[in-house]
């Protein structure tokens, strides 16, 4: 007998349906659930990526622990090479280290981070630790900075075979970037990323 009280809701319901049909919008986070369901129905289990049992995210992510371990390995290599230059004046090891650094960063940016030698070793080192996932876009931006520095360093040291203040400054900059990443978990390139990106930066280290 009180059904007439629901009549005012009818126009609102009709309006909601029309607006939903007109916008035809699906929140991107919903696709995470869709992907889990699709993989489950295909017989791969409740996974986002086939063969990887990790939490699903709305954006590409990377394991911060693995990246910090890789940064530590690169820092150690570069630090030893620079010490050799300081104490013996021999630049051979530094040239090899710079070339390896360039190749490693290039693989991260141009191929796939999974195949970068330092990250392969880093993944092996932290395999028993709980992953800490961070946003891949800001890490990729930081790696582009590293790639630029490495290109200049290799061009000057290996190709042109020159040594000067610019080469030393670039080496020092790379060491600082690597040290902050591995020691404090602070990605300087990631900190700069919001200045060049208008959207909200998601899944930063420490969140």
């Amino acid at each position: 007998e009180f059904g007439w009280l629901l009549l005012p809701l009818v126009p609102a319901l009709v309006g909601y349906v029309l607006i939903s049909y007109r916008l035809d919008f699906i929140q991107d986070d919903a696709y995470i659930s869709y992907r889990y369901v699709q993989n489950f129905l295909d017989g791969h289990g409740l996974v986002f990526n086939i063969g990887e049992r990790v939490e699903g995210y709305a954006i590409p992510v990377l394991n911060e622990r693995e990246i910090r371990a890789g940064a530590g390995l690169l820092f150690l290599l570069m630090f030893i090479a620079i010490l050799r230059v300081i104490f013996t004046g021999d630049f051979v090891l530094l040239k090899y280290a710079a070339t390896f650094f360039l190749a490693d960063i290039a693989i991260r940016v141009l191929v796939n981070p999974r195949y970068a030698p330092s990250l392969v070793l880093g993944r092996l080192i932290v395999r028993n630790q709980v992953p800490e996932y961070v946003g891949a876009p800001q890490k990729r931006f930081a790696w582009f900075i590293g790639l630029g520095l490495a290109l200049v360093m290799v061009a000057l040291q290996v190709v042109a075979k020159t040594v000067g203040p610019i080469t030393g400054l670039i080496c020092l900059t790379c060491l600082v970037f690597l040290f902050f990443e591995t020691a404090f978990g602070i990605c300087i390139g990631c900190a700069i990323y919001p200045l060049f990106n208008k959207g909200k930066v998601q899944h930063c280290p420490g969140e």
Side-chain angles (χ1 to χ4, degrees):
E1 84 187 86
F2 297 102
W4 60 273
L5 295 175
L6 299 177
L7 290 178
L9 297 177
V10 174
L13 181 61
V14 172
Y16 174 77
V17 172
L18 291 176
I19 292 174
S20 299
Y21 177 78
R22 176 65 177 172
L23 294 177
D24 190 23
F25 171 75
I26 299 178
Q27 181 67 25
D28 60 349
D29 286 352
Y31 281 99
I32 296 176
S33 301
Y34 296 163
R35 179 126 171 207
Y36 273 107
V37 172
Q38 184 63 58
N39 286 334
F40 178 75
L41 294 176
D42 290 341
H44 302 298
L46 282 172
V47 295
F48 186 77
N49 292 322
I50 299 174
E52 295 182 0
R53 295 189 176 276
V54 299
E55 184 179 353
Y57 291 87
I59 63 171
V61 293
L62 297 165
N63 185 359
E64 173 68 5
R65 298 186 188 278
E66 176 184 316
I67 293 172
R68 290 182 65 178
L73 295 172
L74 289 177
F75 174 82
L76 182 62
L77 174 63
M78 295 294 294
F79 186 69
I80 292 174
I82 291 174
L83 285 181
R84 184 172 178 83
V85 171
I86 294 174
F87 290 109
T88 68
D90 186 0
F91 284 84
V92 174
L93 181 59
L94 182 58
K95 291 180 179 180
Y96 281 112
T99 304
F100 178 83
F101 180 79
L102 172 61
D104 189 271
I105 298 297
I107 292 173
R108 299 186 191 194
V109 173
L110 304 176
V111 183
N112 191 314
R114 292 178 59 87
Y115 307 120
S118 66
L119 295 185
V120 172
L121 291 175
R123 191 179 313 125
L124 182 64
I125 294 171
V126 302
R127 64 187 182 280
N128 294 325
Q129 298 182 15
V130 178
E132 178 188 349
Y133 292 104
V134 296
Q138 55 264 39
K139 287 294 181 183
R140 184 176 175 83
F141 175 81
W143 292 340
F144 265 110
I145 296 176
L147 181 62
L149 292 173
L151 280 171
V152 176
M153 186 163 53
V154 170
L156 292 175
Q157 288 186 349
V158 181
V159 180
K161 297 181 180 180
T162 59
V163 179
I166 296 178
T167 306
L169 183 60
I170 293 175
C171 288
L172 179 61
T173 302
C174 290
L175 276 182
V176 170
F177 273 56
L178 292 171
F179 180 76
F180 269 74
E181 177 74 62
T182 189
F184 307 124
I186 298 175
C187 176
I188 298 177
C190 297
I192 300 173
Y193 177 69
L195 300 176
F196 300 90
N197 180 65
K198 295 181 180 179
K200 181 181 178 182
V201 181
Q202 302 181 57
H203 304 298
C204 293
E207 287 187 348

PDB file of all heavy atoms in Angstrom, residues 18-40:
ATOM      1  N   LEU A  18      20.324   6.070 -18.180  1.00  0.00           N
ATOM      2  CA  LEU A  18      20.632   6.809 -19.402  1.00  0.00           C
ATOM      3  C   LEU A  18      22.033   7.415 -19.358  1.00  0.00           C
ATOM      4  O   LEU A  18      22.777   7.382 -20.340  1.00  0.00           O
ATOM      5  CB  LEU A  18      19.592   7.915 -19.617  1.00  0.00           C
ATOM      6  CG  LEU A  18      18.178   7.444 -19.985  1.00  0.00           C
ATOM      7  CD1 LEU A  18      17.220   8.634 -20.070  1.00  0.00           C
ATOM      8  CD2 LEU A  18      18.191   6.687 -21.315  1.00  0.00           C
ATOM      9  N   ILE A  19      22.385   7.979 -18.184  1.00  0.00           N
ATOM     10  CA  ILE A  19      23.720   8.577 -18.043  1.00  0.00           C
ATOM     11  C   ILE A  19      24.801   7.509 -18.153  1.00  0.00           C
ATOM     12  O   ILE A  19      25.825   7.695 -18.811  1.00  0.00           O
ATOM     13  CB  ILE A  19      23.829   9.326 -16.699  1.00  0.00           C
ATOM     14  CG1 ILE A  19      22.922  10.558 -16.716  1.00  0.00           C
ATOM     15  CG2 ILE A  19      25.281   9.736 -16.420  1.00  0.00           C
ATOM     16  CD1 ILE A  19      22.841  11.287 -15.393  1.00  0.00           C
ATOM     17  N   SER A  20      24.570   6.353 -17.519  1.00  0.00           N
ATOM     18  CA  SER A  20      25.544   5.267 -17.576  1.00  0.00           C
ATOM     19  C   SER A  20      25.732   4.781 -19.001  1.00  0.00           C
ATOM     20  O   SER A  20      26.852   4.500 -19.441  1.00  0.00           O
ATOM     21  CB  SER A  20      25.095   4.102 -16.683  1.00  0.00           C
ATOM     22  OG  SER A  20      24.989   4.522 -15.332  1.00  0.00           O
ATOM     23  N   TYR A  21      24.620   4.675 -19.733  1.00  0.00           N
ATOM     24  CA  TYR A  21      24.700   4.227 -21.125  1.00  0.00           C
ATOM     25  C   TYR A  21      25.415   5.266 -21.982  1.00  0.00           C
ATOM     26  O   TYR A  21      26.212   4.927 -22.868  1.00  0.00           O
ATOM     27  CB  TYR A  21      23.294   3.986 -21.670  1.00  0.00           C
ATOM     28  CG  TYR A  21      23.276   3.589 -23.136  1.00  0.00           C
ATOM     29  CD1 TYR A  21      23.591   2.290 -23.522  1.00  0.00           C
ATOM     30  CD2 TYR A  21      22.957   4.527 -24.121  1.00  0.00           C
ATOM     31  CE1 TYR A  21      23.591   1.923 -24.861  1.00  0.00           C
ATOM     32  CE2 TYR A  21      22.953   4.178 -25.461  1.00  0.00           C
ATOM     33  CZ  TYR A  21      23.267   2.872 -25.825  1.00  0.00           C
ATOM     34  OH  TYR A  21      23.266   2.516 -27.142  1.00  0.00           O
ATOM     35  N   ARG A  22      25.145   6.546 -21.695  1.00  0.00           N
ATOM     36  CA  ARG A  22      25.734   7.614 -22.484  1.00  0.00           C
ATOM     37  C   ARG A  22      27.253   7.686 -22.268  1.00  0.00           C
ATOM     38  O   ARG A  22      28.038   7.810 -23.215  1.00  0.00           O
ATOM     39  CB  ARG A  22      25.093   8.956 -22.097  1.00  0.00           C
ATOM     40  CG  ARG A  22      25.699  10.173 -22.785  1.00  0.00           C
ATOM     41  CD  ARG A  22      25.477  10.169 -24.268  1.00  0.00           C
ATOM     42  NE  ARG A  22      25.994  11.369 -24.901  1.00  0.00           N
ATOM     43  CZ  ARG A  22      26.070  11.547 -26.215  1.00  0.00           C
ATOM     44  NH1 ARG A  22      25.656  10.597 -27.038  1.00  0.00           N
ATOM     45  NH2 ARG A  22      26.547  12.678 -26.709  1.00  0.00           N
ATOM     46  N   LEU A  23      27.681   7.595 -21.017  1.00  0.00           N
ATOM     47  CA  LEU A  23      29.110   7.707 -20.716  1.00  0.00           C
ATOM     48  C   LEU A  23      29.870   6.446 -21.098  1.00  0.00           C
ATOM     49  O   LEU A  23      31.018   6.503 -21.516  1.00  0.00           O
ATOM     50  CB  LEU A  23      29.309   8.015 -19.223  1.00  0.00           C
ATOM     51  CG  LEU A  23      28.784   9.377 -18.746  1.00  0.00           C
ATOM     52  CD1 LEU A  23      28.987   9.529 -17.247  1.00  0.00           C
ATOM     53  CD2 LEU A  23      29.481  10.515 -19.491  1.00  0.00           C
ATOM     54  N   ASP A  24      29.216   5.305 -20.917  1.00  0.00           N
ATOM     55  CA  ASP A  24      29.829   4.016 -21.255  1.00  0.00           C
ATOM     56  C   ASP A  24      31.249   3.934 -20.681  1.00  0.00           C
ATOM     57  O   ASP A  24      32.225   3.655 -21.374  1.00  0.00           O
ATOM     58  CB  ASP A  24      29.862   3.826 -22.773  1.00  0.00           C
ATOM     59  CG  ASP A  24      30.259   2.384 -23.148  1.00  0.00           C
ATOM     60  OD1 ASP A  24      30.067   1.500 -22.310  1.00  0.00           O
ATOM     61  OD2 ASP A  24      30.743   2.185 -24.273  1.00  0.00           O
ATOM     62  N   PHE A  25      31.376   4.198 -19.395  1.00  0.00           N
ATOM     63  CA  PHE A  25      32.685   4.309 -18.738  1.00  0.00           C
ATOM     64  C   PHE A  25      32.870   3.179 -17.748  1.00  0.00           C
ATOM     65  O   PHE A  25      31.969   2.851 -16.990  1.00  0.00           O
ATOM     66  CB  PHE A  25      32.784   5.657 -18.016  1.00  0.00           C
ATOM     67  CG  PHE A  25      33.994   5.785 -17.133  1.00  0.00           C
ATOM     68  CD1 PHE A  25      35.245   5.993 -17.686  1.00  0.00           C
ATOM     69  CD2 PHE A  25      33.882   5.692 -15.760  1.00  0.00           C
ATOM     70  CE1 PHE A  25      36.366   6.105 -16.889  1.00  0.00           C
ATOM     71  CE2 PHE A  25      35.003   5.804 -14.955  1.00  0.00           C
ATOM     72  CZ  PHE A  25      36.240   6.021 -15.520  1.00  0.00           C
ATOM     73  N   ILE A  26      34.064   2.574 -17.768  1.00  0.00           N
ATOM     74  CA  ILE A  26      34.410   1.533 -16.808  1.00  0.00           C
ATOM     75  C   ILE A  26      35.705   1.943 -16.112  1.00  0.00           C
ATOM     76  O   ILE A  26      36.699   2.224 -16.774  1.00  0.00           O
ATOM     77  CB  ILE A  26      34.600   0.162 -17.485  1.00  0.00           C
ATOM     78  CG1 ILE A  26      33.300  -0.268 -18.163  1.00  0.00           C
ATOM     79  CG2 ILE A  26      35.018  -0.897 -16.461  1.00  0.00           C
ATOM     80  CD1 ILE A  26      33.409  -1.581 -18.896  1.00  0.00           C
ATOM     81  N   GLN A  27      35.669   2.010 -14.793  1.00  0.00           N
ATOM     82  CA  GLN A  27      36.859   2.374 -14.026  1.00  0.00           C
ATOM     83  C   GLN A  27      37.981   1.373 -14.310  1.00  0.00           C
ATOM     84  O   GLN A  27      37.762   0.172 -14.354  1.00  0.00           O
ATOM     85  CB  GLN A  27      36.526   2.384 -12.527  1.00  0.00           C
ATOM     86  CG  GLN A  27      37.684   2.764 -11.631  1.00  0.00           C
ATOM     87  CD  GLN A  27      38.111   4.207 -11.812  1.00  0.00           C
ATOM     88  OE1 GLN A  27      37.315   5.026 -12.231  1.00  0.00           O
ATOM     89  NE2 GLN A  27      39.364   4.507 -11.511  1.00  0.00           N
ATOM     90  N   ASP A  28      39.199   1.888 -14.524  1.00  0.00           N
ATOM     91  CA  ASP A  28      40.283   1.001 -14.930  1.00  0.00           C
ATOM     92  C   ASP A  28      40.586  -0.060 -13.888  1.00  0.00           C
ATOM     93  O   ASP A  28      41.021  -1.161 -14.212  1.00  0.00           O
ATOM     94  CB  ASP A  28      41.545   1.798 -15.261  1.00  0.00           C
ATOM     95  CG  ASP A  28      42.057   2.611 -14.072  1.00  0.00           C
ATOM     96  OD1 ASP A  28      41.322   2.707 -13.083  1.00  0.00           O
ATOM     97  OD2 ASP A  28      43.175   3.137 -14.154  1.00  0.00           O
ATOM     98  N   ASP A  29      40.349   0.244 -12.601  1.00  0.00           N
ATOM     99  CA  ASP A  29      40.600  -0.749 -11.566  1.00  0.00           C
ATOM    100  C   ASP A  29      39.728  -1.985 -11.743  1.00  0.00           C
ATOM    101  O   ASP A  29      40.099  -3.082 -11.307  1.00  0.00           O
ATOM    102  CB  ASP A  29      40.349  -0.157 -10.177  1.00  0.00           C
ATOM    103  CG  ASP A  29      41.462   0.808  -9.766  1.00  0.00           C
ATOM    104  OD1 ASP A  29      42.470   0.870 -10.495  1.00  0.00           O
ATOM    105  OD2 ASP A  29      41.327   1.479  -8.749  1.00  0.00           O
ATOM    106  N   ALA A  30      38.553  -1.821 -12.369  1.00  0.00           N
ATOM    107  CA  ALA A  30      37.679  -2.977 -12.583  1.00  0.00           C
ATOM    108  C   ALA A  30      38.331  -4.000 -13.498  1.00  0.00           C
ATOM    109  O   ALA A  30      38.082  -5.208 -13.389  1.00  0.00           O
ATOM    110  CB  ALA A  30      36.349  -2.521 -13.178  1.00  0.00           C
ATOM    111  N   TYR A  31      39.188  -3.540 -14.385  1.00  0.00           N
ATOM    112  CA  TYR A  31      39.838  -4.459 -15.315  1.00  0.00           C
ATOM    113  C   TYR A  31      40.810  -5.402 -14.613  1.00  0.00           C
ATOM    114  O   TYR A  31      41.154  -6.448 -15.145  1.00  0.00           O
ATOM    115  CB  TYR A  31      40.566  -3.665 -16.409  1.00  0.00           C
ATOM    116  CG  TYR A  31      39.641  -3.165 -17.482  1.00  0.00           C
ATOM    117  CD1 TYR A  31      39.180  -1.857 -17.485  1.00  0.00           C
ATOM    118  CD2 TYR A  31      39.190  -4.021 -18.489  1.00  0.00           C
ATOM    119  CE1 TYR A  31      38.313  -1.397 -18.457  1.00  0.00           C
ATOM    120  CE2 TYR A  31      38.331  -3.571 -19.470  1.00  0.00           C
ATOM    121  CZ  TYR A  31      37.889  -2.261 -19.459  1.00  0.00           C
ATOM    122  OH  TYR A  31      37.033  -1.819 -20.408  1.00  0.00           O
ATOM    123  N   ILE A  32      41.265  -5.005 -13.435  1.00  0.00           N
ATOM    124  CA  ILE A  32      42.102  -5.914 -12.648  1.00  0.00           C
ATOM    125  C   ILE A  32      41.302  -7.168 -12.322  1.00  0.00           C
ATOM    126  O   ILE A  32      41.766  -8.300 -12.505  1.00  0.00           O
ATOM    127  CB  ILE A  32      42.590  -5.226 -11.357  1.00  0.00           C
ATOM    128  CG1 ILE A  32      43.487  -4.045 -11.699  1.00  0.00           C
ATOM    129  CG2 ILE A  32      43.330  -6.226 -10.464  1.00  0.00           C
ATOM    130  CD1 ILE A  32      43.934  -3.256 -10.489  1.00  0.00           C
ATOM    131  N   SER A  33      40.059  -6.954 -11.835  1.00  0.00           N
ATOM    132  CA  SER A  33      39.196  -8.095 -11.510  1.00  0.00           C
ATOM    133  C   SER A  33      38.857  -8.900 -12.751  1.00  0.00           C
ATOM    134  O   SER A  33      38.841 -10.142 -12.717  1.00  0.00           O
ATOM    135  CB  SER A  33      37.915  -7.595 -10.839  1.00  0.00           C
ATOM    136  OG  SER A  33      38.206  -6.878  -9.655  1.00  0.00           O
ATOM    137  N   TYR A  34      38.587  -8.196 -13.862  1.00  0.00           N
ATOM    138  CA  TYR A  34      38.264  -8.899 -15.104  1.00  0.00           C
ATOM    139  C   TYR A  34      39.412  -9.823 -15.521  1.00  0.00           C
ATOM    140  O   TYR A  34      39.192 -10.953 -15.963  1.00  0.00           O
ATOM    141  CB  TYR A  34      38.000  -7.893 -16.240  1.00  0.00           C
ATOM    142  CG  TYR A  34      36.801  -7.009 -16.046  1.00  0.00           C
ATOM    143  CD1 TYR A  34      36.640  -5.842 -16.784  1.00  0.00           C
ATOM    144  CD2 TYR A  34      35.812  -7.336 -15.109  1.00  0.00           C
ATOM    145  CE1 TYR A  34      35.541  -5.025 -16.606  1.00  0.00           C
ATOM    146  CE2 TYR A  34      34.719  -6.517 -14.928  1.00  0.00           C
ATOM    147  CZ  TYR A  34      34.579  -5.363 -15.677  1.00  0.00           C
ATOM    148  OH  TYR A  34      33.497  -4.555 -15.503  1.00  0.00           O
ATOM    149  N   ARG A  35      40.646  -9.323 -15.368  1.00  0.00           N
ATOM    150  CA  ARG A  35      41.796 -10.111 -15.794  1.00  0.00           C
ATOM    151  C   ARG A  35      41.988 -11.330 -14.903  1.00  0.00           C
ATOM    152  O   ARG A  35      42.326 -12.409 -15.386  1.00  0.00           O
ATOM    153  CB  ARG A  35      43.042  -9.231 -15.764  1.00  0.00           C
ATOM    154  CG  ARG A  35      44.315  -9.943 -16.168  1.00  0.00           C
ATOM    155  CD  ARG A  35      45.016  -9.217 -17.277  1.00  0.00           C
ATOM    156  NE  ARG A  35      46.337  -9.767 -17.538  1.00  0.00           N
ATOM    157  CZ  ARG A  35      47.332  -9.081 -18.041  1.00  0.00           C
ATOM    158  NH1 ARG A  35      47.173  -7.821 -18.326  1.00  0.00           N
ATOM    159  NH2 ARG A  35      48.498  -9.653 -18.278  1.00  0.00           N
ATOM    160  N   TYR A  36      41.785 -11.154 -13.611  1.00  0.00           N
ATOM    161  CA  TYR A  36      41.864 -12.296 -12.704  1.00  0.00           C
ATOM    162  C   TYR A  36      40.846 -13.359 -13.097  1.00  0.00           C
ATOM    163  O   TYR A  36      41.153 -14.556 -13.154  1.00  0.00           O
ATOM    164  CB  TYR A  36      41.611 -11.849 -11.258  1.00  0.00           C
ATOM    165  CG  TYR A  36      42.843 -11.381 -10.523  1.00  0.00           C
ATOM    166  CD1 TYR A  36      43.042 -10.034 -10.251  1.00  0.00           C
ATOM    167  CD2 TYR A  36      43.797 -12.284 -10.083  1.00  0.00           C
ATOM    168  CE1 TYR A  36      44.163  -9.599  -9.567  1.00  0.00           C
ATOM    169  CE2 TYR A  36      44.925 -11.862  -9.395  1.00  0.00           C
ATOM    170  CZ  TYR A  36      45.104 -10.525  -9.132  1.00  0.00           C
ATOM    171  OH  TYR A  36      46.221 -10.099  -8.457  1.00  0.00           O
ATOM    172  N   VAL A  37      39.627 -12.918 -13.353  1.00  0.00           N
ATOM    173  CA  VAL A  37      38.557 -13.859 -13.704  1.00  0.00           C
ATOM    174  C   VAL A  37      38.860 -14.563 -15.013  1.00  0.00           C
ATOM    175  O   VAL A  37      38.676 -15.778 -15.144  1.00  0.00           O
ATOM    176  CB  VAL A  37      37.203 -13.122 -13.784  1.00  0.00           C
ATOM    177  CG1 VAL A  37      36.120 -14.042 -14.338  1.00  0.00           C
ATOM    178  CG2 VAL A  37      36.800 -12.601 -12.411  1.00  0.00           C
ATOM    179  N   GLN A  38      39.344 -13.802 -16.017  1.00  0.00           N
ATOM    180  CA  GLN A  38      39.644 -14.394 -17.318  1.00  0.00           C
ATOM    181  C   GLN A  38      40.726 -15.455 -17.199  1.00  0.00           C
ATOM    182  O   GLN A  38      40.616 -16.548 -17.765  1.00  0.00           O
ATOM    183  CB  GLN A  38      40.074 -13.304 -18.305  1.00  0.00           C
ATOM    184  CG  GLN A  38      40.312 -13.809 -19.723  1.00  0.00           C
ATOM    185  CD  GLN A  38      39.054 -14.373 -20.355  1.00  0.00           C
ATOM    186  OE1 GLN A  38      38.044 -13.672 -20.463  1.00  0.00           O
ATOM    187  NE2 GLN A  38      39.075 -15.638 -20.765  1.00  0.00           N
ATOM    188  N   ASN A  39      41.803 -15.148 -16.464  1.00  0.00           N
ATOM    189  CA  ASN A  39      42.872 -16.129 -16.281  1.00  0.00           C
ATOM    190  C   ASN A  39      42.386 -17.345 -15.506  1.00  0.00           C
ATOM    191  O   ASN A  39      42.807 -18.475 -15.784  1.00  0.00           O
ATOM    192  CB  ASN A  39      44.064 -15.490 -15.561  1.00  0.00           C
ATOM    193  CG  ASN A  39      44.857 -14.564 -16.466  1.00  0.00           C
ATOM    194  OD1 ASN A  39      44.862 -14.730 -17.679  1.00  0.00           O
ATOM    195  ND2 ASN A  39      45.541 -13.591 -15.881  1.00  0.00           N
ATOM    196  N   PHE A  40      41.498 -17.122 -14.554  1.00  0.00           N
ATOM    197  CA  PHE A  40      40.950 -18.243 -13.777  1.00  0.00           C
ATOM    198  C   PHE A  40      40.107 -19.148 -14.676  1.00  0.00           C
ATOM    199  O   PHE A  40      40.217 -20.380 -14.625  1.00  0.00           O
ATOM    200  CB  PHE A  40      40.100 -17.709 -12.624  1.00  0.00           C
ATOM    201  CG  PHE A  40      39.463 -18.789 -11.790  1.00  0.00           C
ATOM    202  CD1 PHE A  40      40.224 -19.524 -10.887  1.00  0.00           C
ATOM    203  CD2 PHE A  40      38.113 -19.080 -11.924  1.00  0.00           C
ATOM    204  CE1 PHE A  40      39.639 -20.529 -10.125  1.00  0.00           C
ATOM    205  CE2 PHE A  40      37.526 -20.079 -11.172  1.00  0.00           C
ATOM    206  CZ  PHE A  40      38.290 -20.806 -10.263  1.00  0.00           C
TER     207      PHE A  40
END
